[in-house]
Amino acid sequence: MDLTALVTAQRQHFNTGATRGVAIRRLMLDKLERAILAHEGELLSALEEDLGKAAFEAYASELGIVLGELRFAKRHVERWAADQKRRSPLAVFPARSRVMADPRGVALIMSPWNYPVQLTLVPLISALAAGCTAVVKPSAYASATSAAIGRLIESVFDPRLVAVVEGGRAENAALLEEKFDYIFFTGSTEVGKTVMTAAAKHLAPVTLELGGKSPVIIREDADIPLTARRLAWGKFLNAGQTCVAPDHVYVPERLRDALVAELARQIKKLYGPDPLAGPDLPKIVNERHFQRLCALMGSGRVAVGGRTDPERRRIEPTVLVDVAEEDAVMAEEIFGPILPILTYTDLDELVVRQQAKPKPLALYLFTRDQSEAQYLVERLPSGGVCVNDAVVHLASSHVPFGGVGESGMGSCHGKAGFDTFTHYRTVVCRGRLDVPVRYPPYGGKKISLLKKLM
């Protein structure tokens, strides 16, 4: 594929103004919705092939979220795209001021393998709602889903509007050589740095949805059975291969054994007495990640789980105890079904230690004390926060989702996603009346008059 020709064709199409009208944006969203519904079975099968996702989990965490986002955008796009009137200062009287929601232009959307449908199509929905064209690059690690998305997009969109580029690192590098008006990347922090460096050559703005080690802090008053149930669901969803998965847990020392026992019970309820033999545990995406995760289980001591199925690349939901901050499992984002449990005795000391670490994509707090939750929210920066649950904060179109610091920059979902692909342009229209105060010569003009006007 000639990528330069593709980007040029999209820019020429965008420059005709063909994507700007709200009616055409709604039409594109309608076409995408119909295509998703028509290709639902194919997408679910591809997700099972790539990641071993059960159809229920795949729909709940991928297609359902995409369709909800799409329908939300269709309902609100007219209001989002409308000009916003603004007051004009006396110094420019008479004048009319407004802010236009201007589409940024040709967007590049680079998505990861772990939620390949959701994390490809949600930013595409925002780009289409904003009036942009888009080149979409799914991850080669989820090859079946990448191909399915390619067929879906090709079935409904002219490539001058939306095109899918499949392939691996060579295609990623080639795309980053092209000049885009916006780049939306979801993936690792290291690759995010590469994307940002490439974007800087063209001064292209970027959104980076990255990751990090999202901590869980459990307080003395937490409901341990409910905490364990929600943690087990959020951690082992997609076999832990979730950017906002709870990475590790800090629990008061006296509650550790009760938490571990309850986690064991909840894992059994969710995945059965033998999770490796059950139908609901997804697989690890490839052999390299499988081996990396197996090595991390050498940290601390296995208290729950720990068994693996190398042939099917499955790892039993695993809980580690006696873990130290210096252990290998604490040195990198785990991105797998392994949950280290660490203990603490002094909350303020724990806060100071956390403040010294990179800002995570998510922070999870379990407490019944709202004032204590607020204390922790104010002192521990993160991309988002969830109190008394895990992961669910990213599933809403009503609030922005994104990282901060090393966990990313920019936001997506709902209005925040629309804003990402929009340049808010000020337009001031002056009347014919021309007050001569601003013009030279300035001799004899009083600053006191200027102060009244400004």
Side-chain angles (χ1 to χ4, degrees), residues 19-153:
T19 65
R20 297 186 69 95
V22 170
I24 193 65
R25 302 184 200 189
R26 276 214 185 102
L27 177 61
M28 294 302 103
L29 293 172
D30 280 335
K31 290 175 70 174
L32 180 58
E33 181 178 6
R34 289 195 297 271
I36 292 169
L37 294 173
H39 290 255
E40 178 182 311
E42 183 182 359
L43 292 170
L44 292 175
S45 294
L47 289 167
E48 199 282 329
E49 180 179 340
D50 286 330
L51 293 160
K53 290 189 182 186
F56 188 94
E57 179 176 320
Y59 191 91
S61 64
E62 302 241 29
L63 275 72
I65 290 175
V66 169
L67 290 168
E69 182 77 13
L70 198 157
R71 291 160 184 162
F72 187 87
K74 286 201 300 181
R75 286 198 303 272
H76 295 282
V77 64
E78 185 172 6
R79 179 167 57 84
W80 293 344
D83 286 1
Q84 303 168 37
K85 293 182 180 180
R86 293 288 188 267
R87 294 176 64 90
S88 300
L90 183 60
V92 297
F93 177 84
R96 288 176 290 110
S97 299
R98 60 191 169 98
V99 178
M100 287 180 61
D102 221 21
R104 287 192 179 271
V106 183
L108 171 62
I109 297 169
M110 306 181 78
S111 58
W113 52 262
N114 59 325
Y115 289 87
V117 174
Q118 181 204 146
L119 298 178
T120 301
L121 297 185
V122 166
L124 177 60
I125 290 163
S126 298
L128 292 173
C132 295
T133 66
V135 175
V136 175
K137 174 59 181 66
S139 172
Y141 286 166
S143 57
T145 310
S146 175
I149 290 171
R151 290 189 291 272
L152 184 157
I153 296 298

Side-chain angles (χ1 to χ4, degrees), residues 84-406:
Q84 303 168 37
K85 293 182 180 180
R86 293 288 188 267
R87 294 176 64 90
S88 300
L90 183 60
V92 297
F93 177 84
R96 288 176 290 110
S97 299
R98 60 191 169 98
V99 178
M100 287 180 61
D102 221 21
R104 287 192 179 271
V106 183
L108 171 62
I109 297 169
M110 306 181 78
S111 58
W113 52 262
N114 59 325
Y115 289 87
V117 174
Q118 181 204 146
L119 298 178
T120 301
L121 297 185
V122 166
L124 177 60
I125 290 163
S126 298
L128 292 173
C132 295
T133 66
V135 175
V136 175
K137 174 59 181 66
S139 172
Y141 286 166
S143 57
T145 310
S146 175
I149 290 171
R151 290 189 291 272
L152 184 157
I153 296 298
E154 190 177 62
S155 71
V156 289
F157 291 120
D158 185 318
R160 295 177 302 166
L161 182 65
V162 184
V164 174
V165 175
E166 291 191 73
R169 293 182 181 180
E171 286 74 18
N172 290 342
L175 281 168
L176 290 173
E177 290 295 321
E178 300 297 327
K179 179 176 172 56
F180 288 93
D181 299 302
Y182 204 88
I183 299 176
F184 191 107
F185 169 80
T186 307
S188 71
T189 299
E190 287 308 309
V191 179
K193 292 176 182 178
T194 300
V195 171
M196 196 169 182
T197 299
K201 298 175 187 176
H202 302 293
L203 294 180
V206 298
T207 288
L208 303 178
E209 299 286 358
L210 307 178
K213 293 184 73 64
S214 297
V216 179
I217 298 177
I218 297 173
R219 295 299 292 136
E220 297 274 358
D221 64 341
D223 181 331
I224 293 300
L226 182 63
T227 297
R229 183 180 188 183
R230 292 177 174 176
L231 271 182
W233 174 80
K235 175 63 181 183
F236 303 118
L237 179 73
N238 198 27
Q241 299 168 120
T242 304
C243 60
V244 291
D247 186 89
H248 53 284
V249 175
Y250 294 102
V251 64
E253 195 170 296
R254 73 175 189 85
L255 295 179
R256 189 198 75 172
D257 291 347
L259 175 67
V260 171
E262 193 59 45
L263 280 168
R265 279 191 287 272
Q266 295 298 338
I267 290 168
K268 186 176 181 180
K269 283 184 179 181
L270 295 178
Y271 296 102
D274 184 1
L276 293 179
D280 296 324
L281 182 67
K283 65 184 179 183
I284 306 306
V285 67
N286 58 34
E287 185 65 22
R288 180 170 66 87
H289 281 290
F290 178 81
Q291 293 299 335
R292 178 185 65 83
L293 289 166
C294 289
L296 292 180
M297 286 195 289
S299 299
R301 174 173 61 84
V302 174
V304 180
R307 296 183 304 146
T308 67
D309 179 352
E311 186 175 335
R312 294 193 294 165
R313 295 199 308 271
R314 297 175 99 198
I315 297 176
E316 194 174 27
T318 297
V319 177
L320 302 179
V321 296
D322 300 333
V323 173
E325 293 280 0
E326 299 76 24
D327 287 344
V329 77
M330 294 299 292
E332 61 182 89
E333 184 178 5
I334 296 169
F335 224 68
I338 301 167
L339 184 63
I341 308 294
L342 297 89
T343 62
Y344 70 95
T345 54
D346 187 304
L347 179 62
D348 291 332
E349 180 183 306
L350 176 62
V351 166
V352 170
R353 293 205 313 269
Q354 296 308 298
Q355 289 171 335
K357 296 181 178 182
K359 298 170 184 175
L361 187 55
L363 170 66
Y364 298 115
L365 309 172
F366 286 85
T367 178
R368 304 182 204 199
D369 187 333
Q370 292 186 4
S371 62
E372 191 158 75
Q374 186 61 28
Y375 167 83
L376 291 168
V377 168
E378 290 176 355
R379 282 158 181 78
L380 297 177
S382 64
V385 182
C386 200
V387 180
N388 293 324
D389 209 337
V391 177
V392 296
H393 64 292
L394 69 75
S396 172
S397 298
H398 297 274
V399 292
F401 172 78
V404 62
E406 291 190 24

Side-chain angles (χ1 to χ4, degrees), residues 375-452:
Y375 167 83
L376 291 168
V377 168
E378 290 176 355
R379 282 158 181 78
L380 297 177
S382 64
V385 182
C386 200
V387 180
N388 293 324
D389 209 337
V391 177
V392 296
H393 64 292
L394 69 75
S396 172
S397 298
H398 297 274
V399 292
F401 172 78
V404 62
E406 291 190 24
S407 61
M409 61 181 68
S411 299
C412 61
H413 294 178
K415 177 62 160 51
F418 177 89
D419 290 347
T420 289
F421 292 97
T422 299
H423 167 61
Y424 285 96
R425 184 158 58 144
T426 295
V427 180
V428 176
C429 298
R430 290 292 316 278
R432 290 182 57 79
L433 180 63
D434 203 16
V435 180
V437 174
R438 65 177 176 171
Y439 299 113
Y442 301 123
K445 293 182 179 179
K446 295 182 179 179
I447 291 181
S448 59
L449 174 60
L450 186 62
K451 288 181 178 179
K452 291 178 181 179

